[in-house]
Amino acid sequence: MSVQNGRYVTLDEDTDSLPSHQPDLLTSRSVEISTQTDASFSSIDSRGGSMVGAIFILMNAVLGAGVLEFPYMFSQVGLITAFLFLSFLLLCAGTSHIVLAKAVDLAESTNYHELVGKICGRFAMSSAQVFLILYCFGSTATYMVTAGDQLQEVCFYTTNTTVEVHEFYCDRHFLIPICSVVVILPVIWFKNISAFGYVSFFSVASVFYLVAAVFFEYLTMDERAPINLWYPPDSADAIKILSVLPTMSFAYQCHMTSVPLYGEMAGRSINKYLVVVGVAMFLATSAYLVVGYTGFAIFGSKVDPDIILSFPADSIVMTVGRVAITLSVCMTYPVVLFIGRSALEGFAKEITRSTSFPLRDGNEKFRLASIALWFLFTAIFATFASGIKDVISVVGSIAALFMFLYPGCITAVLAWRDRNFAHVFVGSSFMALGALVFLLNIADTINEHMQGHKDKLLTWWGLQVPSS
């Protein structure tokens, strides 16, 4: 990376200026940043989205079916420990968002992998591209699986059938492609992430219906579990309690969305984005606490990892809740696809850079083709792939890198430039935390697989994918 005329030269403009070992940020104690950004960056900013839309998009990325797992997590550690964990993770996640926003202003980039590359070097950018593609593909495929599984249960309820005896239209292999084409396909074609504000509203509203439904059941329940809610159960040890931390940390995973979202905000500023992040994180944490406490209070230690399964199968309130979960994950799909498609485009540009036919920015044919193929392959994978759970669970662990490791790397690099060793320590600590959560979740997946737990919960965001 180089600085010319007071601004950063992008990877496309100067292919030799970004060394693989360190960026040019390290060569100077201060870097001049002009108030005039490049034309494409400024044009995005001038027509960007509103703060309200940004709040809904960020909440769409962070909320989801994972909210259903909080009563189970609370039952494993008790309310006091759960609250402490959530407070710690909320602080870390919020800090990461602000780090990324400041880096966007510094490096003039509107996608995650390019931002990492401009500050941390080409190797870091390439790794971020690969991890983003893997994570987003696994996420979008799992959204389809989850939608199909929830709709299958709704179909069983409405037709009074079971998984052993049912009509073909109640089979998840039929429901997944139908739901994907009817609900997901029409909303995946937007060019800018700010356009997903309306889509995200329906996703967030669906999740809050679930929150209200569990709270309603709590208020109307005749009997509640006679159990001490505040402290971990007597059978819990330190390892068991700490094993909840990686699961809970992914409840705040939305950092990939944060970079383009902030980059596209109209009249963006750090103060405005502090409000966006603050409101989104407050509402998400409130949802987690309400569902976690009320679900745990109702069922105690017997609560299911999917709170809906703890309620009677003939509950109309929870059947509607399954429809709400389906709508939520379907409306999250296009946002995650947008992130994955951007990483795929960046990866394709890197590969074709030295060929006779390099891929240029704004190639509309590539954008449309990549969206169509991404949708097609995730639909096929979700519908027919067997043994999907453990593979996707490992891929889902990558979220820790986007939440902690890469923001920590950005912090450490910029702090080293300014010889701010306190911030270097903070950045290094974030990197260590990201690596720890990543490895712990992989170890948990391997352990569960070796023990033959066939119904393991996908813990990076709490989506449950039963065995096919």
Side-chain angles (χ1 to χ4, degrees), residues 306-320:
D306 180 349
I307 182 64
I308 290 181
L309 298 179
S310 297
F311 290 96
D314 60 351
S315 170
I316 183 63
V317 174
M318 289 304 158
T319 298
V320 176

Side-chain angles (χ1 to χ4, degrees), residues 300-362:
S301 59
K302 297 181 179 180
V303 65
D304 195 274
D306 180 349
I307 182 64
I308 290 181
L309 298 179
S310 297
F311 290 96
D314 60 351
S315 170
I316 183 63
V317 174
M318 289 304 158
T319 298
V320 176
R322 291 188 180 279
V323 178
I325 279 289
T326 301
L327 181 61
S328 175
V329 296
C330 286
M331 295 299 101
T332 305
Y333 182 105
V335 176
V336 178
L337 184 151
F338 178 91
I339 305 297
R341 193 267 307 163
S342 297
L344 182 63
E345 181 178 352
F347 189 70
K349 286 195 295 185
E350 287 295 304
I351 293 177
T352 61
R353 183 182 303 280
S354 58
T355 67
S356 302
F357 304 98
L359 182 65
R360 302 296 183 185
D361 287 332

Side-chain angles (χ1 to χ4, degrees), residues 5-7 32-38 42 108:
N5 298 326
R7 69 177 182 87
E32 179 188 359
I33 301 297
S34 171
T35 56
Q36 291 183 342
T37 60
D38 60 89
S42 299
E108 301 180 4

